[in-house]
Amino acid sequence: MFEASGYDGFAGDLDVRSPIDLVNQIPKTTRVDVLVGQMDTVTKPALSRAYADTLSELEKRFRLTVVDGDHEIFLAEDVLSVVTAAVEEAR
């Protein structure tokens, strides 16, 4: 991860778990929004699709949104729409 991102926080050994390993802990009442840039080389779209597939297999509520762009998608219109909808839904 350090080589891909250059972020010092990723240097050395990290104690990490795949989000897929944690899907069983997500309550069925929780909706998960999976957002990824179609050209993302850090968190590749295939990883997000695999996560969404696991959510689906375990009958979790989710939406997968693949947007134009790479890893820097936070301010993309599609992402802002998903986040805004989630905040409105939580009210």
Side-chain angles (χ1 to χ4, degrees), residues 20-88:
I20 289 174
D21 296 338
L22 305 174
V23 170
N24 280 325
Q25 298 176 24
I26 300 171
K28 289 196 186 263
T29 56
T30 299
R31 189 193 68 235
V32 178
D33 284 299
V34 182
L35 303 157
V36 65
Q38 68 180 1
M39 303 301 289
D40 195 332
T41 58
V42 178
T43 307
K44 297 181 170 91
L47 296 173
S48 295
R49 287 188 186 96
Y51 183 59
D53 288 346
T54 302
L55 290 164
S56 179
E57 289 167 11
L58 295 175
E59 300 178 350
K60 305 296 182 173
R61 295 175 57 222
F62 74 96
R63 288 187 299 202
L64 171 63
T65 304
V66 180
V67 301
D68 291 334
D70 55 17
H71 192 67
E72 304 298 326
I73 61 169
F74 189 71
L75 296 178
E77 186 174 325
D78 290 342
V79 173
L80 292 174
S81 293
V82 169
V83 172
T84 300
V87 169
E88 289 296 323

